[in-house]
Structures are given as structure tokens and as C-alpha cells.
Amino acid sequence: MKKFAFVLFFLPAMGAYAANADSDLFSTLDQDGNGALSKEEASAESSLAAVFDQIDIDADGQISRAEFDKYLGN
Ligand SMILES: [Ca+2]
């Protein structure tokens, strides 16, 4: 049930970022704009960093947009 807990903690943060229509949490965290979140980039959001390995389904050390969206159920 870690995913459920993560979503509960994470949604308020998503809402805050969503206030900026041109951005979202993923692109905000993707500081180098390469379309994937490294562990270092994810560390800016502690609730994301805590479950990084669960989101990184293919375990390549990066969270792709697809992995990110899949984890959030989008
Ligand atoms: Ca990146």
C-alpha cells in the first residue's frame, strides 16, 4: 500500500505545480529537460525520492514520463 500513501502525499504537490498551466511536476523536476528524472532530480521532491525505485520500473536509474504517469495512474 506504499503507492496509496505516496499518492496521498504527492497529490497536494501536484496541485501546487499544476497552478502553473505551462508546467507540471515532472517537467519542473526534469531540470536538464531530457525527458527523464534522474535520482538527483527526483531528490528535489522528497515524497518522490522515497519511492524512486518503485517508479523506475525498468530499473535504468531514470524515471521516464511513462513510468511517472503509470505510477500516478494516468
Ligand atoms: Ca532529466
Side-chain angles (χ1 to χ4, degrees):
M1 288 300 97
K2 287 180 179 176
K3 179 179 178 180
F4 187 61
F6 169 75
V7 169
L8 286 179
F9 281 111
F10 205 46
L11 282 179
M14 294 289 287
Y17 285 108
N20 181 349
D22 291 329
S23 187
D24 62 14
L25 182 56
F26 187 94
S27 57
T28 299
L29 292 173
D30 183 17
Q31 295 187 350
D32 62 9
N34 70 345
L37 302 182
S38 67
K39 254 184 177 165
E40 185 176 356
E41 287 170 335
S43 70
E45 181 64 48
S46 60
S47 57
L48 179 62
V51 292
F52 187 96
D53 291 338
Q54 296 173 48
I55 303 175
D56 182 17
I57 296 167
D58 61 7
D60 67 349
Q62 302 268 320
I63 295 174
S64 67
R65 169 72 81 172
E67 288 171 337
F68 187 84
D69 287 346
K70 186 171 183 178
Y71 196 80
L72 294 179
N74 294 326

